Amino acid sequence: MTVAVSKAEEALQQQQDELAALEAIYGGDCVVSADRVSCQVYIPDSTHIPSICLRVHLPPDYPISAPPIPELAAPHLSDDVKACVIAELEAQFAAGEVVLYTWVEWLKDQQQLWAPASGPEQPSPDRLDSDAKLAEALQQAEISAQQEASASDERTAHGMAEDLIIHGEPFTEHKSTFQAHLAPATSAEDVEKCMNTLLQHNKIRNATHNILAYRIYVESRDAWLQDYDDDGEDAAGGRLLHLLQILDVKNTVVVVSRWYGGVKLGPARFTHINNAARLLLEKCGCLQSETVTAITPRKKGKRH
C-alpha cells in the first residue's frame, strides 16, 4: 500500500537528511540545535582566527518553497559587506532544492572574508578599501550567477523530463556523500539530456564528481553502445560501466554524484560509487539477462 506523504513531511525529511549530511561532512565545525530546526557552521573552521559563523534557521516549508534564513556572525566584517554576502546567499536558493552545503562551500571559497587580518583591529583606510573591493567582487559574483541562470535555461531547453529521472537515497561514508541517479536512454542524445537536467539542481551541479556510465542496445546492429565519464574521479567511470556490464543493464544511463568531505577514501571510494548505483538499479528493476556483442566508443574527457 502506498502511503501519501504531505509536503510538510517531505520538507522535514529533506531538512533532516541535509543536516545529517552537514554533520558528517563538517564534523565539529557544524552544530545543529537540539530541535534540529537551525544550525551553525564555522568557516573555514572553528579554530581559525578570524572565522565566520554561518547561522541558519530552517522554516517549515524549506526547501519546498521557502529559503533558509541566514545570519553571519563575523565581527571583523562591516555591516555592508555582511549584507552583500547574505544577498548573494539568498540568490543561490532555488525552490525545491537544499542549499546549505552550497552556501558553506561558497563561503569557504571567499577567502577574503576570513583571511587573517594584518595590522591593528580598528578600521583603517586599507580595511575600508578591502571592503569596497569585496563588495565589487560580490557584485561580479551576482553577474556570474545571472550568466549561470542563462546557461541553466539553455540546459533546460535541451533537457529530459524530470519525472523520467530517478534519484537514489544519499548516504555518507567518512565525510563523503554519494547519491545515484538513473534514467532510460535509447540514444547518446538521451544521455546528454539526462545530464543537462541533473545539472539544473544546484546540489548535483556542485558535486565534486558526477560519474557517468551508460549502456544502450542498438537493435539494428545487434550490439551495445556504451561509454563512461570519470568527471575527474580517475577510473571510477570505467568501473561503473563494468558494473553495468556485469549486471547486463539495458538502455539506461547511471550517474553517481560524490561530494568530497575532506577525508581520502582510497580504493574504497569505488566500492561506494558502485554500491550506490547497484542499490538504485535493483530498486528500479533495471537488471537484464540478455547479452550481445559490445562496441565501445572513444572515452570522453572530463564533463564540466
Side-chain angles (χ1 to χ4, degrees):
M1 181 179 69
T2 301
V3 179
V5 178
S6 69
K7 286 189 175 181
E9 291 173 327
E10 180 184 355
L12 179 60
Q13 184 60 54
Q14 290 190 51
Q15 289 180 19
Q16 299 313 305
D17 289 345
E18 183 178 29
L19 291 174
L22 291 177
E23 289 176 310
I25 293 171
Y26 300 113
D29 294 327
C30 175
V31 181
V32 178
S33 63
D35 54 7
R36 300 191 73 79
V37 295
S38 64
C39 70
Q40 58 186 35
V41 182
Y42 293 94
I43 298 161
D45 58 61
S46 58
T47 63
H48 194 275
I49 299 177
S51 66
I52 297 173
C53 180
L54 172 64
R55 297 169 180 163
V56 182
H57 175 74
L58 306 180
D61 44 358
Y62 165 77
I64 303 300
S65 58
I69 302 171
E71 177 186 352
L72 287 181
H76 61 288
L77 298 179
S78 69
D79 290 341
D80 287 344
V81 169
K82 287 190 281 190
C84 288
V85 171
I86 288 177
E88 171 61 25
L89 295 178
E90 291 173 340
Q92 294 177 14
F93 172 73
E97 298 181 22
V98 294
V99 75
L100 299 188
Y101 175 83
T102 300
W103 282 4
V104 174
E105 290 302 305
W106 183 82
L107 285 170
K108 285 193 171 188
D109 287 341
Q110 312 309 308
Q111 295 187 22
Q112 68 272 26
L113 295 175
W114 46 262
S118 58
E121 287 294 323
Q122 62 270 23
S124 64
D126 289 343
R127 168 68 175 279
L128 295 176
D129 182 60
S130 176
D131 285 354
K133 289 181 179 179
L134 176 59
E136 182 181 352
L138 290 171
Q139 289 179 346
Q140 184 59 45
E142 183 175 355
I143 294 174
S144 298
Q146 292 173 349
Q147 293 173 340
E148 173 60 28
S150 176
S152 176
D153 291 341
E154 179 69 15
R155 288 195 294 266
T156 298
H158 299 87
M160 173 180 285
E162 283 278 1
D163 58 359
L164 293 179
I165 301 177
I166 302 173
H167 306 278
E169 292 295 327
F171 62 88
T172 301
E173 294 288 345
H174 299 289
K175 296 190 176 184
S176 280
T177 299
F178 301 85
Q179 184 181 26
H181 325 272
L182 67 79
T186 56
S187 67
E189 182 181 4
D190 286 344
V191 174
E192 192 70 26
K193 286 181 177 180
C194 175
M195 181 56 73
N196 285 341
T197 300
L198 287 174
L199 293 178
Q200 291 297 303
H201 298 269
N202 287 336
K203 180 180 177 182
I204 297 174
R205 186 170 63 250
N206 290 321
T208 312
H209 309 287
N210 284 305
I211 303 101
L212 175 148
Y214 67 87
R215 297 186 80 223
I216 298 170
Y217 176 50
V218 184
E219 187 172 0
S220 62
R221 300 169 63 182
D222 189 27
W224 292 93
L225 176 65
Q226 56 190 17
D227 201 358
Y228 64 90
D229 185 353
D230 292 332
D231 193 30
E233 185 72 285
D234 290 345
R239 291 169 184 257
L240 182 58
L241 176 58
H242 183 59
L243 174 70
L244 302 189
Q245 293 168 337
I246 292 174
L247 299 178
D248 204 12
V249 174
K250 179 179 181 181
N251 295 344
T252 302
V253 53
V254 177
V255 177
V256 178
S257 302
R258 179 192 179 189
W259 293 267
Y260 177 63
V263 177
K264 293 184 178 181
L265 302 182
R269 67 190 187 277
F270 301 124
T271 300
H272 300 316
I273 291 167
N274 279 11
N275 280 345
R278 180 191 293 271
L279 288 172
L280 185 56
L281 287 164
E282 292 178 348
K283 178 180 178 181
C284 297
C286 295
L287 308 187
Q288 304 292 326
S289 59
E290 300 175 359
T291 57
V292 291
T293 304
I295 55 173
T296 305
R298 174 178 60 86
K299 175 183 176 183
K300 296 181 181 178
K302 186 179 188 298
R303 187 182 298 268
H304 297 283

